[in-house]
Amino acid sequence: MRRNSLAILGAVIVAFLVIRLPVIYRQPGGHDEEYYAFPGLTIIEDGIPRMPHVPQRDPTRVFYRADKAFFAEPPLYFYVQAALYAVLPDVYGTARLASLAAGIAAIVMVYVLARRWYRDETIALWSAGLYSLLRMFYFTAITARPDLLCTVLGLAAVYAFDRWDADRKHVWFVGSGVLIGLGGLTHPFAIVYAVQLAAWAVWSERGWRRLSAPLRLAAVAVVTCALWLPMIMTYPDEFRAQFGNNILHPAGPGLLSRVLSPWAAFARQAEVTWERAAAIQFCLLSAGVLAAGVLDGRRRDGGRKPVLFSLSAIYLISMIVGLHPGYGYWSYAAAFFAMCLSSVLIQCWRRLAGAASHSDAAGVSLSVERSQEKNRESADPGSRLPLSHRVLGSRGMAASVGALVVLAMVPGLGLRASWAYVSHGNDIDYNAPRFAARIMDDLPTDARYTVGIEYALDFFAAGRTMLIGETDGFYLESKDFPCDYLIVSHDGLKQHLPEALHGRLLRTYGRRDDPFACYAEVYVPAESQE
């Protein structure tokens, strides 16, 4: 890596951190974080990922006995999370750091893969830069979920397999299998890149090795995934109920039926990516993949691989995820989308500049005689400009197109949220951990609490007796459990938690009308009023 490239890549990562860190540490808990931010804390206590605040006992529900052991997702992400909790405060921001670190690694891997495949430093840097701006990526990087760690393990597995395909050193083959297995220990959507690399193994071998190569790769991955077996064998009922209810059932009809009739799955995942990427980015990325298919699809070098990985990822994610709203899973496919769009932009840029250079050079060679030169100048006054000026003008036009693409990424980039937290640096209403501490200071320590998603982790980490505020029976019905106080914010109000618990409003905190500020309402449930 050249020094200039290292500086530019470093600037991309620094910009990413500057924009995202204020949100990560000051924002209240969000969707799924009321569950996935907890197992790391219990691992520190006894080595077992658990959710003590979800005492579900219905085996048809996703979190059946999750307070004993958590199996709705594989455990690797939560052990990484536990390492962070061991040295940093027990807040949502620390839980999110595992995803943020994976995000930084993913940006680097996008650069490394693009440079290897295109043999082009500029395309590689643009790929990393555009990826850091994609909503399909950065939302996943600031959420305490395992998706992005699974993504970066997949990108690393692709790199290792590409190295093996080039020099046939066995260590890269085994390393790719191990990385697939670690991805499987992070999230089941690792099956996407497992299938991609198995197909690549079949394509790159000859004779009987076409069969043995994917089998050997699968064997290494399965052996790696087997690290989860001791825990599964200790809690077989919990694993069967949670993993089945969370991973298998939400996908909808069987995999074979989706393969034979994929349109419902395609439509659902198109809706998911449209919602996550938003209109501008969705259209840009779609156009980038299609244009790259035309420009790069027939290349014999690595330049066609991003196209192949993009198209196969779209198909496999749609087939495997089905009807489930897998927003975070698309962070993997987005890495290849960013490469395709970057390749198209840089190729168009160079073709415009190259066409201008060729045209001007031809014009100069034909201007030997003064009469011809006068005629040409009278017909085209712009041709009097020096060659360097016209080439720069063409490059400037191409650069303007690139700048417009970057500017098109700005809406929905999260800049307003970051500015809100930075500009209110000393305001407790914009600092979720301090805000939750203020609420707890006003309430008795020995009471029983039902807490909404925004401040659940704060109450648990403070040692308060609590359970999650939830009305969806698929997870838990909080009304079935007694409590002394109900703490809700925007999510709990949408779920009508106060009505479900027949609560009487005691007091409010924060600013309800500001979407970036903290807000909470404290209720006394009907049972506690008697």
Side-chain angles (χ1 to χ4, degrees):
M1 184 186 298
R2 293 181 299 182
R3 185 174 299 177
N4 289 345
S5 298
L6 182 61
I8 294 172
L9 183 61
V12 169
I13 293 171
V14 168
F16 170 71
L17 290 174
V18 167
I19 295 173
R20 305 303 167 200
L21 273 175
V23 177
I24 280 179
Y25 261 99
R26 290 175 171 266
Q27 186 172 261
H31 179 65
D32 280 349
E33 292 184 320
E34 73 273 31
Y35 303 118
Y36 294 158
F38 281 76
L41 288 174
T42 64
I43 287 172
I44 293 177
E45 295 177 3
D46 55 21
I48 303 296
R50 295 181 290 110
M51 295 195 304
H53 62 310
V54 189
Q56 178 63 262
R57 290 297 179 268
D58 185 343
T60 66
R61 305 305 182 186
V62 64
F63 293 138
Y64 170 67
R65 293 177 62 86
D67 56 329
K68 304 300 180 184
F70 178 63
F71 289 100
E73 299 283 4
L76 181 59
Y77 174 83
F78 306 111
Y79 284 94
V80 174
Q81 189 183 87
L84 295 169
Y85 276 137
V87 296
L88 295 170
D90 299 340
V91 296
Y92 278 120
T94 299
R96 295 165 182 152
L97 278 183
S99 296
L100 186 74
I104 295 171
I107 292 172
V108 173
M109 285 307 307
V110 167
Y111 167 81
V112 169
L113 279 172
R115 187 180 65 163
R116 179 172 178 81
W117 285 341
Y118 292 109
R119 304 293 180 184
D120 191 301
E121 204 75 28
T122 304
I123 294 178
L125 290 170
W126 268 80
S127 298
L130 288 180
Y131 186 61
S132 73
L133 300 177
L134 296 184
R135 290 166 56 88
M136 283 192 286
F137 162 71
Y138 81 74
F139 273 123
T140 314
I142 61 174
T143 305
R145 277 188 54 93
D147 309 302
L148 200 51
L149 180 58
C150 188
T151 285
V152 76
L153 288 168
L155 296 175
V158 171
Y159 173 79
F161 196 88
D162 192 57
R163 290 291 302 268
W164 170 79
D165 191 38
D167 57 30
R168 298 291 162 155
K169 290 184 178 179
H170 196 60
V171 65
W172 291 112
F173 186 90
V174 174
S176 182
V178 170
L179 287 164
I180 294 171
L182 292 175
L185 284 173
T186 304
H187 197 284
F189 92 79
I191 190 68
V192 171
Y193 47 82
V195 172
Q196 288 177 319
L197 295 181
W200 190 351
V202 171
W203 179 262
S204 62
E205 290 287 16
R206 295 290 181 270
W208 64 271
R209 290 183 179 275
R210 286 185 183 273
L211 178 61
S212 69
L215 290 177
R216 286 184 286 119
L217 190 68
V220 176
V222 168
V223 169
T224 305
C225 284
L227 294 172
W228 198 15
L229 275 178
M231 193 183 304
I232 292 174
M233 295 174 66
T234 305
Y235 302 95
D237 295 337
E238 289 82 354
F239 169 77
R240 190 179 304 110
Q242 293 179 40
F243 197 79
N245 292 331
N246 188 52
I247 302 300
L248 302 180
H249 297 172
L255 178 60
L256 180 60
S257 66
R258 291 199 296 276
V259 171
L260 296 176
S261 181
W263 312 118
F266 280 139
R268 176 56 176 148
Q269 293 309 312
E271 178 186 351
V272 166
T273 51
W274 177 274
E275 181 181 340
R276 175 52 61 93
I280 294 176
Q281 290 195 11
F282 183 93
C283 293
L284 279 173
L285 293 174
S286 299
V289 172
L290 292 174
V294 175
L295 295 175
D296 298 329
R298 295 184 178 181
R299 291 174 59 163
R300 293 299 180 184
D301 60 1
R304 66 176 177 172
K305 290 176 182 175
V307 178
L308 297 175
F309 271 90
S310 293
L311 297 177
S312 59
I314 292 171
Y315 177 79
L316 289 169
I317 293 176
S318 299
M319 293 304 97
I320 292 168
V321 177
L323 305 180
H324 184 63
Y327 296 99
Y329 313 160
W330 288 96
S331 60
Y332 173 73
F336 305 108
F337 299 165
M339 295 181 205
C340 289
L341 180 57
S342 299
S343 174
V344 170
L345 287 173
I346 300 305
Q347 287 189 66
C348 290
W349 182 340
R350 288 171 177 164
R351 289 186 185 193
L352 282 171
S357 301
H358 178 75
S359 175
D360 284 323
V364 170
S365 67
L366 293 173
S367 300
V368 177
E369 298 181 6
R370 289 187 176 182
S371 58
Q372 291 176 322
E373 183 177 352
K374 289 179 180 180
N375 291 336
R376 182 169 57 82
E377 288 178 354
S378 62
D380 182 11
S383 65
R384 300 169 189 164
L385 292 173
L387 171 65
S388 59
H389 286 199
R390 284 201 261 164
V391 173
L392 287 175
S394 181
R395 288 178 178 173
M397 181 177 66
S400 298
V401 173
L404 286 175
V405 171
V406 173
L407 288 175
M409 301 285 185
V410 172
L413 194 59
L415 297 179
R416 288 175 58 227
S418 299
W419 176 248
Y421 292 117
V422 170
S423 60
H424 295 85
N426 295 321
D427 192 336
I428 291 180
D429 288 346
Y430 293 84
N431 189 322
R434 293 176 62 195
F435 181 83
R438 182 174 67 180
I439 298 174
M440 287 185 278
D441 287 342
D442 295 339
L443 298 172
T445 58
D446 57 350
R448 299 166 300 175
Y449 295 92
T450 295
V451 188
I453 69 174
E454 291 86 351
Y455 310 107
L457 183 68
D458 303 285
F459 273 74
F460 179 79
R464 302 296 175 102
T465 301
M466 57 80 64
L467 56 82
I468 190 65
E470 182 65 74
T471 59
D472 187 346
F474 185 64
Y475 303 103
L476 188 77
E477 291 195 64
S478 302
K479 64 182 178 63
D480 295 337
F481 300 85
C483 71
D484 301 311
Y485 295 95
L486 169 66
I487 317 296
V488 296
S489 186
H490 301 289
D491 183 79
L493 294 173
K494 289 179 182 177
Q495 293 190 53
H496 303 289
L497 263 172
E499 293 85 345
L501 274 67
H502 307 288
R504 173 178 59 84
L505 181 63
L506 185 64
R507 68 190 67 162
T508 64
Y509 296 82
R511 310 179 190 187
R512 184 170 185 171
D513 296 331
D514 189 336
F516 305 117
C518 299
Y519 178 73
E521 296 180 0
V522 179
Y523 289 84
V524 177
E527 290 185 2
S528 297
Q529 299 176 37
E530 298 174 356

